[in-house]
Amino acid sequence: MSGFKKDFLWGGAVAVHQLEGGWNEGGKGISIADVMTAGEYGISREVTPGIIEGRNYPNHEAIDFFHRYKDDIKLFSEMGFTCFRTSIAWSRIFPEGDELEPNEAGLQFYDNMFDECLKYNIQPVITLSHFEMPYHLVTEYGGWRNRKLIDFFLRFAKVVFTRYKSKVKYWMTFNEINNQVNYRESLCPFTNSGILYSSDEDEYARERAMYQAVHYELVASALVVDAGHLINPDFKIGCMIAMCPIYPLTCSPGDMMMSVSAMHRRYWFTDVHVRGYYPQHMVNYFRKKGFELDITESDIEILQHGRVDYIGFSYYMSFVTQYTDDNPEFDYVEPAHLVNNPYIQTSDWGWQVDAMGLRYSLNWFWDHYQLPMFIVENGFGANDVQQADGTVDDQYRIDYLTAHVSEMKKAVVEDGVDLIGYTPWGCIDLISAGTGEMKKRYGMIYVDKDNDGNGSLNRSRKKSFYWYRDLIADNGNTI
């Protein structure tokens, strides 16, 4: 084998709450993204109690893909995309999340959008829950703390599986489900699971609530996988994991064991998705902590039956951890136990840039699970500057992506991993999920809009647009 397989999927990735806009059009309900204000690097976004007049909610308009999707998909086709990874806004299909009947206008929007993709032979790759669950499920049920959400999510999944069974082949259930291991950062459990902590919940209660919510999500995911395979046996339904490999700072035994513990804590989610059961180290951890979780015998059986077909994952950076004498049991808490890597550079937003870590990640997943993989996010956020003539010279993005694709190719060609495709994040500029900014740009298509919401929303091609077009045309052979 000399390169990527002929049917390798090249494309780009987005999430609808970060580009779609139309937040109150077409019968759409309020999502959790719609109550998050703008922040910036070092200043967290705020979750407000509903929508407050006069506050800046950047996801409301985003980049107006809702009205401009035909032109944007045409640009994706010009780049040569064979797939487009996006999501379906749950609150556009079930505005409050607990209705019995879906919103037909929402279903029709995605019918039209998928048809536009297929017109250009672009396969939609769809995430069912990508940080955009209905806000009503938070206020009425407490988010994924509540077992009732399993049935609501299954109803949503069955509706869209049935509606788009001839238009979508590749699906994923919960985006970056493992990010909420960082339960101390309140936005992680909120965006993942709709969890708002109360002031009287201490750290112990918050961690327990996170694990309970995750369990319900894993059960829901397994049920969805089973349901999807019944609706269309040709569906490929995967999980979606945020992959940040956690290295030891040194080769000291303490650092090595701390790294093992950290990888256990961050990636056991994949064990349940792929193998259908909790690894023993997590069973022991729950027992040690005294977490009496609502895990039934029926749940355990469901997890066994609803195992995923592939592993979708994001890769942006690697992490590093270090053992300290005050942590003799190697308990890992993120981000408290992370340290800087002295061997690599960081981006303007503090993200450690480690191209070889992508090859390591592919091998780690392959060694553990022997399941096909799909890199559904990878990219470089930067403060791109548009010149007077409309051009954007983002050579730094080309350098970043070239290095990562090169390591990805080594993992396929030299190491023999099974890789379905590659969709770098933010193929078009969009709202940052973490900060709510526009200036943190990932796209190969520039969108004229600033952090304050000013701009024409006009699209233009960056230098990376043409680089990626040529890479796809050659199926990555020149890397």
Side-chain angles (χ1 to χ4, degrees):
M1 180 181 177
S2 60
F4 298 108
K5 53 192 175 183
K6 291 182 179 180
D7 60 350
F8 190 81
L9 295 175
W10 296 97
V14 299
V16 297
H17 71 97
Q18 292 172 254
L19 89 163
E20 200 171 87
W23 72 279
N24 59 355
E25 297 183 56
K28 181 184 175 297
I30 299 172
S31 79
I32 57 174
D34 293 329
V35 296
M36 294 175 66
T37 64
E40 57 184 274
Y41 182 42
I43 301 176
S44 296
R45 304 183 72 177
E46 180 186 349
V47 177
T48 59
I51 294 168
I52 300 174
E53 187 174 352
R55 300 301 300 272
N56 179 11
Y57 298 100
N59 299 70
H60 284 192
E61 180 189 48
I63 63 166
D64 196 29
F65 182 78
F66 185 73
H67 296 107
R68 300 166 182 253
Y69 70 88
K70 290 185 178 181
D71 291 337
D72 289 341
I73 292 170
K74 186 177 181 181
L75 284 168
F76 300 158
S77 174
E78 185 182 330
M79 261 193 286
F81 283 16
T82 54
C83 71
F84 173 46
R85 187 246 171 159
T86 183
S87 54
I88 293 176
W90 187 352
S91 62
R92 199 174 286 287
I93 308 305
F94 288 95
E96 296 198 326
D98 58 359
E99 300 95 336
L100 295 178
E101 297 297 328
N103 170 36
E104 175 58 30
L107 289 168
Q108 188 60 52
F109 169 74
Y110 291 109
D111 261 321
N112 297 340
M113 195 265 283
F114 295 157
D115 286 344
E116 197 68 19
C117 289
L118 295 170
K119 183 174 81 173
Y120 295 104
N121 296 314
I122 297 173
Q123 286 195 54
V125 177
I126 301 303
T127 313
L128 291 169
S129 181
H130 193 141
F131 306 164
E132 59 220 352
M133 63 183 286
Y135 182 58
H136 173 75
L137 298 182
V138 175
T139 58
E140 184 67 22
Y141 299 94
W144 278 97
R145 297 174 186 255
N146 196 321
R147 180 177 279 273
K148 290 181 180 178
L149 265 70
I150 296 174
D151 288 337
F152 300 151
F153 186 68
L154 181 59
R155 181 183 301 143
F156 161 60
K158 285 181 175 179
V159 165
V160 297
F161 280 161
T162 301
R163 180 75 170 230
Y164 310 121
K165 65 182 179 181
S166 63
K167 299 183 180 183
V168 178
K169 176 181 178 180
Y170 289 98
W171 302 85
M172 286 170 284
T173 53
F174 291 92
N175 184 70
E176 294 186 334
I177 188 172
N178 61 320
N179 266 353
Q180 56 199 314
V181 73
N182 187 359
Y183 62 89
R184 289 181 170 184
E185 169 52 61
S186 59
L187 282 185
C188 288
F190 180 70
T191 55
N192 279 96
S193 302
I195 292 177
L196 288 172
Y197 294 127
S198 63
S199 58
D200 61 352
E201 287 183 288
D202 59 14
E203 183 171 326
Y204 177 89
R206 294 180 180 209
E207 185 181 8
R208 184 195 177 283
M210 179 271 290
Y211 281 121
Q212 184 64 76
V214 167
H215 173 71
Y216 291 150
E217 288 167 349
L218 290 167
V219 172
S221 176
L223 288 168
V224 163
V225 170
D226 262 352
H229 288 154
L230 286 174
I231 291 168
N232 185 346
D234 292 331
F235 279 168
K236 299 297 181 185
I237 308 173
C239 56
M240 202 298 205
I241 303 295
M243 184 40 146
C244 303
I246 307 169
Y247 306 149
L249 181 63
T250 73
C251 57
S252 75
D255 286 0
M256 294 297 292
M257 196 62 226
M258 191 65 192
S259 172
V260 170
S261 177
M263 292 294 284
H264 277 170
R265 198 62 46 79
R266 203 169 219 284
Y267 299 110
W268 67 269
F269 302 77
T270 327
D271 290 343
V272 182
H273 276 303
V274 174
R275 295 179 176 140
Y277 58 85
Y278 281 85
Q280 191 61 44
H281 63 81
M282 287 308 298
V283 175
N284 294 349
Y285 180 75
F286 294 157
R287 185 183 302 124
K288 181 178 77 170
K289 296 287 286 191
F291 293 152
E292 296 293 335
L293 302 180
D294 175 24
I295 301 176
T296 68
E297 290 298 322
S298 176
D299 293 344
I300 292 171
E301 185 176 348
I302 288 168
L303 293 176
Q304 266 293 300
H305 284 283
R307 288 173 285 177
V308 296
D309 301 313
Y310 68 94
I311 298 168
F313 71 95
S314 60
Y315 178 81
Y316 295 97
M317 70 195 103
S318 58
F319 290 158
V320 176
T321 192
Q322 180 182 27
Y323 171 75
T324 54
D325 290 338
D326 61 353
N327 187 17
E329 295 188 353
F330 305 99
D331 282 337
Y332 173 75
V333 177
E334 193 175 296
H337 291 139
L338 296 178
V339 297
N340 290 329
N341 187 333
Y343 299 102
I344 57 179
Q345 297 179 331
T346 60
S347 74
D348 291 341
W349 276 265
W351 289 21
Q352 298 183 139
V353 179
D354 174 17
M356 196 176 294
L358 178 55
R359 182 179 183 182
Y360 173 86
S361 299
L362 286 161
N363 276 278
W364 190 91
F365 276 133
W366 185 246
D367 289 346
H368 280 76
Y369 305 113
Q370 293 82 54
L371 208 64
M373 289 168 283
F374 202 148
I375 302 170
V376 294
E377 290 184 31
N378 171 238
F380 187 72
N383 187 10
D384 298 342
V385 177
Q386 189 175 39
Q387 303 302 314
D389 62 358
T391 61
V392 176
D393 185 357
D394 58 342
Q395 183 63 44
Y396 42 83
R397 180 168 293 109
I398 295 172
D399 294 342
Y400 174 97
L401 293 173
T402 297
H404 283 73
V405 172
S406 176
E407 295 298 329
M408 175 178 83
K409 187 174 182 180
K410 291 173 187 175
V412 171
V413 176
E414 299 179 28
D415 306 330
V417 307
D418 186 356
L419 189 61
I420 295 168
Y422 177 68
T423 58
W425 177 253
C427 47
I428 183 170
D429 290 345
L430 35 63
I431 299 296
S432 167
T435 66
E437 295 175 287
M438 269 300 298
K439 76 174 184 179
K440 186 183 182 184
R441 298 176 183 272
Y442 287 86
M444 291 172 268
I445 300 169
Y446 186 88
V447 177
D448 180 31
K449 185 176 182 177
D450 64 20
N451 277 2
D452 296 322
N454 303 312
S456 66
L457 291 174
N458 288 340
R459 277 63 161 155
S460 58
R461 301 162 185 82
K462 301 180 188 179
K463 185 176 181 179
S464 58
F465 179 101
Y466 302 103
W467 169 85
Y468 195 46
R469 179 197 63 187
D470 294 343
L471 178 77
I472 294 173
D474 193 44
N475 199 28
N477 287 326
T478 55
I479 292 291

